[in-house]
Amino acid sequence: MTRIRFFALLRERLGVSEWHYAQEKPVDVEALIRILKAESLAWETELNAQEVLVAVNQALVERSFIVNPGDEVALFPPVTGG
Amino acid sequence: MTRIRFFALLRERLGVSEWHYAQEKPVDVEALIRILKAESLAWETELNAQEVLVAVNQALVERSFIVNPGDEVALFPPVTGG
Amino acid sequence: MKTIIRVQMEAFSVGDEYERLTHDPDCGAVVTFTGLVRDLPHAAIQALELEHYPEMTERMLQGIADQARQRWSVRGITIIHRIGRLTRNQPIVFVGVASAHRHSAFQAAEFIMDFLKTRAPFWKKEETSDTCYWVAAKASDQRAAKRWEQDSAQ
Amino acid sequence: MKTIIRVQMEAFSVGDEYERLTHDPDCGAVVTFTGLVRDLPHAAIQALELEHYPEMTERMLQGIADQARQRWSVRGITIIHRIGRLTRNQPIVFVGVASAHRHSAFQAAEFIMDFLKTRAPFWKKEETSDTCYWVAAKASDQRAAKRWEQDSAQ
């Protein structure tokens, strides 16, 4: 089971703050995003429309990063703090 | 009459905090320093030994700057505030 | 040589944070940066809501402070970021750096702010009198962070 | 858009000076620099005596602030320099800059310090437990000031 969390604008647009994926083997971030897009046309549209940053286990990662079952993945828009 | 003031290490080494020069016509800073050096061998030694900054009427100036009678001239070592 | 990281709802006192940074006889220079809620070019801000990713923020801020220490010889580092609802003119973020010399304190403080702006998981939602929207990330912030990559020298 | 220049014997409060700089709804960034009496690499400082050229100092500091305003878009500027006898860990100098954006506040504050260090007529005499001497000017300060001449960009 992999927990995928959404923040800020992305959370509002997708309509959920998290989503659980019954992951069984390692996949890269790119593949995980394709799985999310396959969930619904609305999600596909949102995830295509926006720039999305990805963190795995609370560290920013590239799209090629490998996600293992049990990891915490977070998707969010570019940050705007400070 | 031109008032020449000395500060910090230079004041201590020359032994006076100011010196009045009966100036009658404009001279450049370079010439004024030559006049000071001519005052005593001790002054000449000190003024040769040290890097000296010059302000005329409270603004830093180059050696070619023209001093008029009545100006306030200040000679001091490189500044070390802050 | 202490690093202090805080993420909090409450306001902070710049005076108190400054004092904390000066308890070190080897520290000759303290630089502080404070970011405040300011009016927009086109409208007065009523309030600002700051969301964050709790499990990640402190870890990320600690990582940015560690990177600053690798680049410059600095002593104390304090990073405070507020979350929740903030109103006009209130402080949002504080970065303080104490160092033996001024240049490293200035550089480290600006580096921390540039990285915080582009890496730390905070998002701002602004409210004016008639609307409410998520703030867009700025290209100028990306450029500001990027210049430290080229900048290998002090 | 105020410039405050003060040359004084008394200590100052960084917290109070920071607060004064934030009374401006267009100011989103405040950078402060504070320089303190610190121990030397080889000996503990007992005290420091600061001499200045009274008629010239405030005018020079005002001129440095004016130059910073010509280079960067900043709002409030505060420069405070102490004179007289200071002991270990006491603050000597404060530079605060309030601005809409952080980069101009950082740049202006560092510029003011670099120029103050090489132009403003202050001289330090340091006392350790067994000696007392005038501080020598540093080549690194000259280089720091010089880099702003080449630096035509923001």
Side-chain angles (χ1 to χ4, degrees), chain D residues 42-103:
Chain D
H42 47 281
I45 280 199
Q46 305 290 316
L48 190 143
E49 189 79 35
L50 258 153
E51 179 170 334
H52 76 136
Y53 177 4
E55 295 80 356
M56 183 174 171
T57 33
E58 295 198 18
R59 177 191 294 208
M60 178 57 89
L61 296 177
Q62 182 71 54
I64 295 171
D66 292 345
Q67 281 187 62
R69 286 191 185 281
Q70 280 163 27
R71 284 177 165 246
W72 296 280
S73 170
V74 299
R75 302 190 64 85
I77 294 181
T78 301
I79 307 176
I80 304 173
H81 203 296
R82 290 177 70 191
I83 49 168
R85 190 176 170 83
L86 306 180
T87 51
R88 282 181 85 190
N89 252 16
Q90 286 203 25
I92 305 170
V93 59
F94 175 87
V95 171
V97 178
S99 176
H101 303 288
R102 72 183 181 285
H103 188 60

Side-chain angles (χ1 to χ4, degrees), chain C:
Chain C
M1 298 292 281
K2 213 159 55 166
T3 298
I4 298 172
I5 307 283
R6 294 201 326 253
V7 177
Q8 63 187 41
M9 306 271 291
E10 312 79 56
F12 49 80
S13 153
V14 169
D16 292 352
E17 298 308 326
Y18 162 79
E19 294 297 338
R20 230 187 294 281
L21 282 162
T22 59
H23 296 157
D24 180 345
D26 289 323
C27 127
V30 179
V31 169
T32 74
F33 171 84
T34 312
L36 302 117
V37 181
R38 77 180 181 97
D39 281 344
L40 301 171
H42 49 281
I45 281 199
Q46 304 291 316
L48 189 143
E49 188 78 35
L50 258 152
E51 179 171 333
H52 78 136
Y53 177 3
E55 295 80 356
M56 182 173 170
T57 34
E58 295 198 20
R59 177 190 295 209
M60 178 57 89
L61 296 177
Q62 181 71 54
I64 295 171
D66 292 345
Q67 281 187 61
R69 287 191 184 279
Q70 278 163 28
R71 283 177 165 246
W72 295 282
S73 170
V74 299
R75 301 193 63 87
I77 295 181
T78 302
I79 307 177
I80 305 173
H81 204 297
R82 289 176 72 190
I83 49 169
R85 192 176 168 82
L86 305 181
T87 52
R88 282 181 83 191
N89 252 16
Q90 287 202 22
I92 305 169
V93 59
F94 175 87
V95 171
V97 178
S99 176
H101 303 289
R102 72 185 180 284
H103 188 59
S104 51
F106 272 114
Q107 292 283 99
E110 195 169 7
F111 170 88
I112 290 169
M113 273 310 300
D114 287 347
F115 271 58
L116 184 156
K117 280 267 181 187
T118 51
R119 311 266 170 108
F122 294 101
W123 301 273
K124 280 192 194 118
K125 198 173 194 175
E126 284 174 349
E127 270 173 46
T128 62
S129 52
D130 54 0
T131 178
C132 163
Y133 49 88
W134 290 97
V135 172
K138 281 190 256 162
S140 60
D141 285 330
Q142 291 295 335
R143 282 195 301 275
K146 211 151 188 88
R147 105 195 123 92
W148 298 102
E149 293 169 22
Q150 292 136 13
D151 219 38
S152 59
Q154 273 232 353

Side-chain angles (χ1 to χ4, degrees), chain D residues 25 32 34 45 55 90-91 96 110 126-128 135 150 154:
Chain D
T32 74
T34 311
I45 280 199
E55 295 80 356
Q90 286 203 25
E110 195 168 7
E126 285 174 348
E127 269 174 44
T128 63
V135 173
Q150 292 136 15
Q154 272 233 350

Side-chain angles (χ1 to χ4, degrees), chain D:
Chain D
M1 298 291 282
K2 214 159 54 164
T3 298
I4 298 172
I5 307 283
R6 297 202 323 256
V7 177
Q8 63 188 41
M9 305 272 289
E10 311 79 55
F12 49 81
S13 153
V14 169
D16 291 353
E17 298 309 327
Y18 162 80
E19 294 297 338
R20 231 188 294 280
L21 281 162
T22 60
H23 297 158
D24 179 345
D26 290 322
C27 127
V30 179
V31 169
T32 74
F33 172 84
T34 311
L36 302 117
V37 181
R38 78 180 180 96
D39 280 344
L40 301 171
H42 47 281
I45 280 199
Q46 305 290 316
L48 190 143
E49 189 79 35
L50 258 153
E51 179 170 334
H52 76 136
Y53 177 4
E55 295 80 356
M56 183 174 171
T57 33
E58 295 198 18
R59 177 191 294 208
M60 178 57 89
L61 296 177
Q62 182 71 54
I64 295 171
D66 292 345
Q67 281 187 62
R69 286 191 185 281
Q70 280 163 27
R71 284 177 165 246
W72 296 280
S73 170
V74 299
R75 302 190 64 85
I77 294 181
T78 301
I79 307 176
I80 304 173
H81 203 296
R82 290 177 70 191
I83 49 168
R85 190 176 170 83
L86 306 180
T87 51
R88 282 181 85 190
N89 252 16
Q90 286 203 25
I92 305 170
V93 59
F94 175 87
V95 171
V97 178
S99 176
H101 303 288
R102 72 183 181 285
H103 188 60
S104 50
F106 273 114
Q107 293 283 99
E110 195 168 7
F111 170 89
I112 290 168
M113 273 310 300
D114 286 346
F115 272 57
L116 183 156
K117 280 266 181 187
T118 50
R119 312 267 170 105
F122 294 100
W123 300 275
K124 280 192 194 117
K125 198 173 194 173
E126 285 174 348
E127 269 174 44
T128 63
S129 53
D130 54 0
T131 178
C132 162
Y133 50 88
W134 291 98
V135 173
K138 281 189 259 164
S140 59
D141 286 329
Q142 291 296 333
R143 282 196 301 273
K146 210 146 191 95
R147 103 196 123 93
W148 298 102
E149 292 168 22
Q150 292 136 15
D151 218 37
S152 58
Q154 272 233 350

